[in-house]
Amino acid sequence: MKTKFKYMFSAAALLLTVGLTSCTGDLDVNPIDPNLQTKENTPAYKLFNKCYANIALAGNSGPDGDCDIDGLDGGTTGYVRQLFNSQELTTDEAICAWATDEGISNFNYNTYDASHPMLKGFYNRLYTGITFCNQYMADYGDADATMTAEVRFIRALNYYYLLDGWGNVPFATEISSSNPQQIKRADLYDWLINELITEIEPKLNDPQPKTSATKGYGRVDKAAAWMLLARLYLNAEVYKGTADWANAKLYAKKVIDSPYKLYTTKKGQWSAYQQLFLGDNGENGSSVEAVFPILQDGTTTASYGTTLFLMAGSTDASVHIKDANTAGVNADNPWGGNRMRSDLVAKFFPNNDAPNVAAYDMPAVAGDDRAIFDGEGRVVENGDDVAGVAVFTNGFAVGKFSNFKSDGSAGHNSKFPDADFFLMRAAEAYLMYAEADARQNGGSTTAEGTQYINALRTRANATTRTAYSLSDICDEWSREFYFEGMRRTTLIRFGRFGGNVNYNWSWKGGVKNGRNFDSHYNLFAIPTSDLTANSNLKQNAGYK
């Protein structure tokens, strides 16, 4: 990302030093000191930027400074980092070698509870963002209609992840000294639908893809609202108890028909798909697909919890993404933590014949440009016991995210990457439409739904089909979006997560061959610290 266009986040990260204080450890959704006159001390654009910055940065002082969430580490409370941990490590896609890190083994083996430190960090990060948005609404809600709609969208996005992960959660749309009441999951779903349709979407800018050279890159427009609505409707049966496939298709189609499109241009050695995750994805043309990019820059918006985590956390020094002579992903020293579960490898190699080749060779062998993972010196299986799970080479390494640029050159900071994270990209709408289409058509896609999956597979140079079953679609979600923070939600929607579902994966439930675990794990536990601080809250069923 070009530094000169980082005004959106750099102001929040580097300049917002008055008017806001850190969140308290025990969440009461009121981290802003009421004695500070925020409106007088903090201009609207700084507080506006802060609402966005909460997704990209740990706090005001950069990656090594103070975290916005008091008492917790800025890197491990990173929005994208904990979205990954909660959505990927709990599923058939990822497993982590850092088993001694507090909370990681609970993710690996689906044993998290109300005291889980990383889920608490993510929960507090989401409420911190909501509080910043509520403060903006209180101080500047009537100043600029478009900016207010964007802030309301960010607040809705935070509530969406709370709805998805925790269900019945504290709910507040204003800054108050009183503890918030708990809202039922179905009621929060209804509020989000209404908020997006009536208050947010009409006042956002018309959809328009941007690059880093375009003013407003990184800000949401109507397409982001349509995407979030489509997500909600696609999961309506889980969230509310009644399916709404028709509206899922309606809003997914709005995104598909918008100016946001699949990026399909190959450049040099990099496939169109791989360019979505490179260090110059804000400049190489792939941002035509980026409905909501989370901006990162190695100098001005550095973070341990966004694309650096996705790069360094998923590789070691032996991984070769670019060529045989270039090791690593060109970002920091690789950390060697997260790698593929054997079940994810099988999505690309269903005959158990995955080769031990480098990441730069794997797509051609797999017949799918999305197979950006490394098997050199590795085994597919994730270990025979807990000690084996802690060995990073027990499992293929993922090189999907890297800081190389499309011309093969390096990013401008050797420690922190320039690659943005596309939190929402147009490809998601294609799969949402196809899935809803199949669910309306007896479990198989119509010609139109088939067309949209084939568009994704054609972009990846993979073979296409004449129709796709729901099981095919569940696998296609994994092939297109692995390690992008969606898998747990997908498995729950397909009835493949908690309960007597008999869809097992390696080390599911702490057993090598996998086992069913109780359905109460389909929701996370409300953190004990919040239950203690707020007597209005009741724990989710199944947790002590």
Side-chain angles (χ1 to χ4, degrees):
M1 192 60 50
K2 296 177 182 177
T3 305
K4 62 184 281 191
F5 295 106
K6 284 300 191 179
Y7 66 92
M8 276 191 53
F9 293 153
S10 59
L14 304 175
L15 301 178
L16 186 57
T17 58
V18 295
L20 301 179
T21 62
S22 296
C23 290
T24 57
D26 292 329
L27 178 71
D28 62 3
V29 292
N30 187 23
I32 296 174
D33 187 339
N35 295 317
L36 292 172
Q37 299 178 17
T38 304
K39 187 170 183 179
E40 293 182 7
N41 295 333
T42 308
Y45 78 91
K46 289 187 179 180
L47 187 50
F48 174 78
N49 288 347
K50 187 65 178 177
C51 296
Y52 274 100
N54 183 64
I55 304 176
L57 302 169
N60 295 343
S61 304
D64 297 307
D66 291 337
C67 175
D68 281 334
I69 304 172
D70 189 38
L72 296 177
D73 177 74
T76 55
T77 60
Y79 199 111
V80 173
R81 184 168 181 164
Q82 292 311 332
L83 179 63
F84 174 95
N85 285 340
S86 61
Q87 284 279 340
E88 301 293 339
L89 293 182
T90 58
T91 73
D92 57 354
E93 290 192 351
I95 195 165
C96 187
W98 305 328
T100 58
D101 281 18
E102 191 176 12
I104 289 294
S105 63
N106 303 112
F107 280 139
N108 283 342
Y109 308 131
N110 312 99
T111 57
Y112 35 82
D113 58 20
S115 63
H116 194 278
M118 293 184 182
L119 285 173
K120 175 185 174 181
F122 189 31
Y123 177 94
N124 285 2
R125 173 66 65 183
L126 293 168
Y127 275 111
T128 298
I130 289 167
T131 303
F132 292 146
C133 293
N134 284 345
Q135 188 71 53
Y136 181 91
M137 295 293 298
D139 290 349
Y140 301 110
D142 57 356
D144 182 283
T146 301
M147 290 171 65
T148 296
E150 291 179 49
V151 169
R152 294 181 87 129
F153 173 85
I154 296 168
R155 182 175 66 180
L157 180 71
N158 290 328
Y159 270 127
Y160 160 75
Y161 284 123
L162 288 160
L163 166 82
D164 181 78
W166 288 268
N168 310 312
V169 295
F171 180 71
T173 57
E174 321 181 314
I175 296 296
S176 172
S177 58
S178 301
N179 284 328
Q181 296 294 318
Q182 191 169 22
I183 190 171
K184 293 182 179 178
R185 195 182 206 186
D187 293 336
L188 180 53
Y189 170 88
D190 287 340
W191 180 84
L192 281 165
I193 294 291
N194 181 70
E195 177 80 352
L196 284 159
I197 291 175
T198 64
E199 300 294 339
I200 297 173
E201 189 270 350
K203 299 168 187 175
L204 290 174
N205 287 322
D206 289 336
Q208 184 58 55
K210 301 175 181 66
T211 70
S212 67
T214 310
K215 184 178 180 179
Y217 176 62
R219 291 174 61 173
V220 296
D221 57 31
K222 290 181 188 294
W226 299 335
M227 189 77 85
L228 188 52
L229 281 163
R231 284 186 181 184
L232 286 161
Y233 285 124
L234 190 69
N235 292 284
E237 192 168 24
V238 175
Y239 298 156
K240 188 167 176 156
T242 304
D244 197 340
W245 312 121
N247 272 318
K249 288 175 68 174
L250 172 67
Y251 283 98
K253 192 70 163 62
K254 283 178 176 286
V255 178
I256 293 169
D257 292 341
S258 79
Y260 290 97
K261 302 296 179 186
L262 294 184
Y263 179 64
T264 59
T265 303
K266 184 178 186 295
K267 289 186 177 179
Q269 74 178 84
W270 309 107
S271 68
Y273 182 80
Q274 189 159 21
Q275 289 173 64
L276 296 165
F277 313 102
L278 294 182
D280 64 344
N281 57 359
E283 296 85 47
N284 63 21
S286 64
S287 60
V288 70
E289 190 167 326
V291 174
F292 188 15
I294 307 304
L295 278 57
Q296 293 287 279
D297 180 276
T299 301
T300 60
T301 53
S303 167
Y304 289 108
T306 313
T307 49
L308 174 60
F309 169 75
L310 296 172
M311 294 175 194
S314 302
T315 58
D316 64 11
S318 69
V319 172
H320 290 80
I321 311 301
K322 185 172 179 285
D323 54 46
N325 299 316
T326 310
V329 293
N330 191 32
D332 200 13
N333 295 317
W335 304 344
N338 303 312
R339 75 277 197 203
M340 304 171 79
R341 297 208 192 217
S342 56
D343 312 83
L344 176 55
V345 179
K347 297 291 190 295
F348 293 91
F349 293 96
N351 297 319
N352 296 319
D353 57 352
N356 297 104
V357 300
Y360 63 85
D361 275 338
M362 193 68 75
V365 181
D368 193 320
D369 288 346
R370 300 170 296 187
I372 311 170
F373 44 87
D374 198 298
E376 278 191 311
R378 303 173 187 281
V379 295
V380 172
E381 296 298 324
N382 303 123
D384 293 326
D385 51 28
V386 173
V389 171
V391 177
F392 184 64
T393 52
N394 285 338
F396 280 18
V398 172
K400 182 173 180 175
F401 300 88
S402 79
N403 202 34
F404 294 110
K405 295 182 180 180
S406 301
D407 63 3
S409 64
H412 67 267
N413 186 312
S414 61
K415 184 174 183 179
F416 294 102
D418 300 325
D420 301 328
F421 178 70
F422 294 170
L423 186 68
M424 291 180 170
R425 54 187 182 90
E428 185 182 348
Y430 285 61
L431 272 173
M432 286 195 287
Y433 187 99
E435 181 185 329
D437 177 64
R439 292 185 185 277
Q440 286 185 315
N441 192 49
S444 181
T445 52
T446 67
E448 190 172 23
T450 300
Q451 167 194 343
Y452 291 135
I453 296 183
N454 282 343
L456 298 178
R457 293 184 63 81
T458 298
R459 189 257 295 271
N461 289 303
T463 57
T464 58
R465 303 180 188 178
T466 57
Y468 296 88
S469 69
L470 283 172
S471 184
D472 294 333
I473 294 168
C474 189
D475 288 347
E476 200 64 28
W477 274 109
S478 191
R479 282 185 283 266
E480 180 69 28
F481 285 102
Y482 68 95
F483 278 45
E484 292 185 57
M486 296 187 186
R487 191 58 175 169
R488 178 179 171 275
T489 300
T490 301
L491 290 179
I492 291 172
R493 185 174 67 253
F494 277 86
R496 294 185 172 188
F497 196 70
N500 294 321
V501 299
N502 295 321
Y503 176 81
N504 294 323
W505 55 81
S506 174
W507 289 106
K508 178 184 179 184
V511 176
K512 181 185 177 183
N513 293 326
R515 66 172 179 84
N516 290 332
F517 51 73
D518 194 80
S519 61
H520 82 267
Y521 286 108
N522 286 346
L523 284 175
F524 296 129
I526 304 294
T528 298
S529 56
D530 210 21
L531 292 170
T532 301
N534 185 353
S535 61
N536 297 325
L537 305 183
K538 181 180 178 181
Q539 183 59 276
N540 287 325
Y543 292 102
K544 294 181 181 179

